[in-house]
């Protein structure tokens, strides 16, 4: 017998229990109000397992008796057709999610990926580089549904820069792959990753190692360091002072330009650069030679930055340091002074290689990295003091002027 319940009866029933309307439709009244109130349930027996299964149809407050009967009739028909109503509902929900995912663009996925990983990246610069490379080289992909990104579209984005900007193109590919992996994990797309390299794009694009041309930094020969330092100290401006500090500390231009007073302990003659400002993401202590410490003591403390920039709240840029260099020696690169220092340490001193490498904050590799527990600060302090003395000497006689190529550091 069907249609046993009435709308008034449903509204007035408060005693806990199950009340059958017929055809598998039940009104369920829970024992306590904390279980969600009265609701509809469709019950049937699975033909294969013989087990009774229940599918909720919604609360009485949202689903009327008439509507509940309509839903129950729909599910009875599914059971007669051999369809499990619960599995059918799950499949329908999955289809809706997939359709929504198809409307989610690659650009939106990029934003969500970066938001999810931003806290784990070593600094804001890394996040900015992500955004910049995707905006610049993936413009054709950004508005497209992420579920539709395929190999042809990835190739179309990479090919224009693969042979001309190989290192950049490699990073772009890796970032596309990472975003698509994230989208797959979030069920916004299915299938293999079209940006994967091994076993896929490596069959379609030349290997980066076959294309990449190592561009070396133009480095001043160390025999000219003394003469150049004399010329540099005759210049005025923060750019020249920042470049001098960079030479004396063998640091990278960006590490010097962004230096903050809080990082320095002039009494202890040390400069501690936090990990978020280092290339390797690891804190680096720099011993300050007497000339380096003296330079810092002479600088006015205008704000938090040792070398404040022209705009409020910003530091000096590395462009100012490069300008000071090229005013005296056109064609050279400020970063190249790290190579100048390294060549001097190798050719003119007996300091061990690991001391010189530690001065440059180069990461220790292999098994040695596991056991190294010291940053060799005392030995590096003597090395940097000797380097400062060398830079204060006049140029050696018989030197040949010209650009000497120093490897990237």
């Amino acid at each position: 017998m069907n249609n046993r319940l009435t709308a008034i009866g449903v509204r007035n029933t408060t005693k806990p229990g199950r009340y059958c309307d017929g055809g598998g439709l039940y009104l369920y009244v829970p024992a306590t109000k904390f279980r969600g109130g009265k609701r509809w349930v469709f019950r049937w027996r699975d033909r294969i397992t013989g087990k009774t299964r229940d599918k909720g149809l919604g609360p009485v407050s949202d689903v009327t008796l008439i509507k509940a009967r309509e839903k129950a009739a729909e599910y009875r028909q599914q059971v007669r057709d051999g369809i499990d109503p619960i599995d059918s509902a799950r499949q329908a929900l999955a289809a809706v999610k997939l359709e929504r995912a198809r409307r989610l663009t690659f650009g939106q996925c990029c934003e969500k990926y970066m938001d999810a990983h931003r806290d784990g990246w070593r600094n804001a610069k890394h996040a900015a580089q992500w955004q910049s490379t995707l905006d610049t080289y993936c413009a054709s992909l950004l508005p497209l549904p992420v579920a539709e990104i395929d190999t042809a579209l990835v190739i179309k984005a990479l090919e224009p820069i693969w042979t001309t900007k190989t290192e950049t193109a490699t990073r772009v590919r890796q970032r596309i792959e990472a975003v698509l992996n994230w989208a797959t994990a979030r069920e916004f797309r299915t299938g293999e990753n079209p940006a994967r390299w091994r076993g896929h794009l490596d069959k379609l694009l030349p290997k980066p190692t076959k294309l990449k041309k190592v561009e070396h930094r133009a480095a001043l020969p160390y025999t000219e360091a003394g003469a150049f330092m004399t010329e540099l100290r005759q210049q005025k401006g923060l750019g020249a002072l920042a470049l001098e500090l960079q030479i004396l500390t063998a640091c990278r231009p960006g590490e010097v330009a962004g230096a903050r007073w809080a990082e320095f302990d002039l009494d202890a003659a040390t400069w501690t650069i936090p990990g978020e400002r280092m290339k390797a993401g690891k804190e680096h202590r720099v011993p300050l030679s007497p000339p380096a410490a003296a330079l810092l003591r002479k600088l006015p403390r205008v704000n938090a930055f040792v070398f404040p920039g022209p705009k409020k709240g910003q530091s000096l840029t590395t462009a100012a340091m490069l300008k000071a260099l090229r005013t005296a020696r056109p064609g050279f690169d400020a970063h190249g002074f790290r190579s100048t220092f390294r060549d001097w340490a190798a050719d003119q001193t007996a300091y061990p290689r690991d001391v010189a490498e530690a001065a440059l904050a180069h990461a220790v590799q292999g098994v040695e990295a596991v056991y190294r527990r010291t940053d060799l600060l005392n030995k590096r302090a003597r090395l940097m003091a000797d380097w400062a003395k060398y830079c204060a000497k006049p140029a050696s006689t018989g030197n040949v002027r010209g650009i000497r190529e120093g490897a990237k550091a």
Side-chain angles (χ1 to χ4, degrees):
M1 176 181 173
N2 294 332
N3 301 338
R4 302 174 188 173
L5 302 177
T6 64
I8 295 176
V10 169
R11 183 172 62 250
N12 295 334
T13 299
T14 58
K15 184 178 179 180
R18 291 181 185 271
Y19 300 86
C20 181
D21 185 58
L25 177 62
Y26 288 84
L27 170 67
Y28 175 62
V29 181
T32 65
K33 63 180 180 179
F34 299 106
R35 300 189 65 181
K38 293 183 284 187
R39 58 183 181 269
W40 300 107
V41 175
F42 174 70
R43 172 170 285 190
W44 78 100
R45 186 175 298 278
D46 189 285
R47 294 181 179 179
I48 298 176
T49 64
K51 293 182 178 180
T52 299
R53 304 198 72 190
D54 288 345
K55 170 151 181 57
L57 306 183
V60 169
S61 58
D62 295 339
V63 181
T64 65
L65 174 59
I66 294 175
K67 187 65 177 178
R69 285 170 177 168
E70 291 175 355
K71 286 188 174 185
E74 177 186 342
Y75 292 142
R76 282 197 300 273
Q77 184 61 50
Q78 288 186 1
V79 172
R80 284 193 290 269
D81 294 340
I83 300 172
D84 186 299
I86 294 178
D87 291 342
S88 177
R90 287 173 179 168
Q91 291 170 5
L93 180 60
V96 170
K97 287 184 177 180
L98 182 59
E99 183 56 33
R100 288 178 180 173
R102 290 185 184 280
R103 295 196 297 267
L104 194 68
T105 66
F106 178 74
Q108 290 171 319
C109 286
C110 289
E111 293 175 2
K112 293 178 181 294
Y113 177 90
M114 289 187 285
D115 288 342
H117 292 81
R118 201 179 305 276
D119 291 342
W121 287 336
R122 62 177 180 264
N123 52 44
K125 181 180 178 181
H126 185 68
Q129 289 173 339
W130 256 79
Q131 187 71 61
S132 176
T133 54
L134 292 172
D135 288 345
T136 303
Y137 303 108
C138 297
S140 62
L141 301 179
L142 296 177
L144 300 178
V146 71
E148 296 179 10
I149 302 296
D150 58 16
T151 301
L153 292 170
V154 173
I155 290 288
K156 184 179 179 180
L158 294 176
E159 273 188 331
I161 58 172
W162 193 257
T163 58
T164 58
K165 300 179 179 179
T166 306
E167 185 174 352
T168 298
T170 300
R171 291 197 185 103
V172 172
R173 185 205 64 77
Q174 292 169 342
R175 289 167 186 175
I176 295 174
E177 182 182 20
V179 172
L180 294 181
N181 278 338
W182 176 89
T184 300
R186 295 297 299 268
E187 299 183 354
F188 295 143
R189 60 174 286 117
T190 58
E192 294 284 349
N193 192 321
R196 68 190 186 281
W197 177 252
R198 184 170 296 181
H200 187 54
L201 291 185
D202 62 346
K203 310 302 180 185
L204 303 174
L205 293 170
K207 291 183 179 180
T209 53
K210 301 293 185 181
L211 298 171
K212 184 178 178 182
K213 296 179 180 179
V214 179
E215 297 179 1
H216 295 289
R217 309 281 190 169
L220 188 78
Y222 64 79
T223 53
E224 297 186 36
F228 174 76
M229 193 67 85
T230 299
E231 297 172 26
L232 181 64
R233 285 169 175 164
Q234 293 174 357
Q235 290 189 38
K236 295 181 180 180
L238 285 180
L241 291 170
L243 180 59
E244 180 180 350
L245 183 64
Q246 186 217 326
I247 295 171
L248 292 174
T249 57
C251 289
R252 297 177 179 87
E255 295 160 5
V256 174
R260 294 173 177 265
W261 285 113
E263 298 169 359
F264 291 87
D265 184 343
L266 295 183
D267 292 333
T270 56
W271 171 21
T272 304
I273 309 176
E276 58 265 25
R277 292 208 310 109
M278 293 298 298
K279 182 178 180 180
K282 183 180 179 181
E283 181 182 278
H284 177 53
R285 286 198 301 170
V286 181
L288 299 172
S289 64
L295 183 156
L296 288 163
R297 286 194 174 93
K298 292 178 182 178
L299 292 174
R301 301 201 177 198
V302 177
N303 56 31
F305 291 107
V306 176
F307 301 103
K311 294 184 179 180
K312 185 177 180 181
Q314 295 184 5
S315 68
L316 191 75
T317 66
T318 56
M321 301 164 65
L322 183 60
K323 182 180 179 180
L325 168 58
R326 292 182 175 173
T327 296
R329 303 293 174 91
F332 290 95
D333 190 286
H335 196 109
F337 279 105
R338 286 166 59 80
S339 180
T340 302
F341 163 79
R342 188 64 185 87
D343 289 346
W344 166 82
D347 291 350
Q348 299 293 315
T349 78
Y351 286 96
R353 177 183 180 279
D354 56 347
V355 176
E357 289 295 293
L360 294 170
H362 283 168
V364 179
Q365 301 296 329
V367 177
E368 184 181 0
V370 179
Y371 296 100
R372 174 70 62 83
R373 293 292 183 270
T374 175
D375 63 359
L376 307 174
L377 183 67
N378 293 333
K379 292 182 178 180
R380 288 192 289 118
R382 293 193 292 273
L383 172 63
M384 301 316 293
D386 288 344
W387 169 238
K389 291 176 184 177
Y390 182 85
C391 289
K393 293 180 179 179
S396 302
T397 58
N399 291 336
V400 179
R401 287 183 177 272
I403 295 177
R404 184 170 186 276
E405 295 297 314
K408 277 184 179 179

